[in-house]
Amino acid sequence: MVIKESAEMYLETILVLSKNGPVRSIDIAKEMNFSRPSVSVALHNLEKEQYISIESDQTIKLLSKGEEIAKTIYERHTILTEFFEQIGVKSSIAAADACKIEHDISPESFKAIKKLVKNNRNEKK
């Protein structure tokens, strides 16, 4: 399942925002610093492709294939951020770099980094 990086970013943002309650387009626009019309177009495209549903009360819900992608991207983001922090990168820079890489990293490279991060975590215990 291949989708555009921008769609992945929207799905990840919806996942993260949903941890704090219902998500509306205005919440996404504020979080991503995008205009409301741009967000509206993107959300309708995601709905058309059945990644999300826009409910009657205008809240946005991830559908199963959207949630699967969002969780994958979010895991990449958190593991890559932790990896960069483990090698001494400042947290804010680590998170920004992870955001750039999370969409393009190969499954093989990510798997190796994830293993390394987990091993480093276990060594610290």
Side-chain angles (χ1 to χ4, degrees):
M1 184 175 347
V2 176
I3 67 170
K4 293 182 179 178
E5 180 178 329
S6 61
E8 290 177 343
M9 290 175 59
Y10 276 99
L11 295 173
E12 180 185 20
T13 299
I14 294 165
L15 176 70
V16 170
L17 290 173
S18 70
K19 294 174 188 242
N20 297 321
V23 179
R24 299 183 187 280
S25 61
I26 185 68
D27 304 319
I28 297 166
K30 286 179 182 176
E31 181 69 23
M32 298 180 80
N33 200 25
F34 290 166
S35 71
R36 288 180 75 179
S38 295
V39 170
S40 181
V41 168
L43 292 177
H44 285 291
N45 288 335
L46 289 170
E47 183 179 40
K48 187 172 84 178
E49 296 297 322
Q50 298 180 339
Y51 291 109
I52 64 166
S53 67
I54 301 172
E55 306 295 311
S56 59
D57 64 356
Q58 298 305 302
T59 57
I60 293 126
K61 307 269 191 232
L62 289 169
L63 297 176
S64 59
K65 73 179 187 176
E67 185 174 17
E68 181 182 331
I69 292 167
K71 285 180 175 179
T72 297
I73 297 301
Y74 185 69
E75 178 189 36
R76 288 180 188 172
H77 181 86
T78 56
I79 294 290
L80 289 167
T81 299
E82 187 174 348
F83 170 71
F84 290 129
E85 290 172 343
Q86 284 180 358
I87 61 172
V89 178
K90 189 170 116 181
S91 292
S92 60
I93 295 171
D97 286 347
C99 195
K100 294 172 192 166
I101 296 168
E102 66 195 21
H103 304 281
D104 295 320
I105 192 167
S106 71
E108 183 180 351
S109 293
F110 179 70
K111 185 177 177 182
I113 290 171
K114 183 176 176 179
K115 182 178 178 183
L116 182 65
V117 166
K118 288 185 175 190
N119 287 343
N120 287 343
R121 261 191 230 149
N122 291 336
E123 286 179 12
K124 289 182 180 180
K125 288 182 180 180

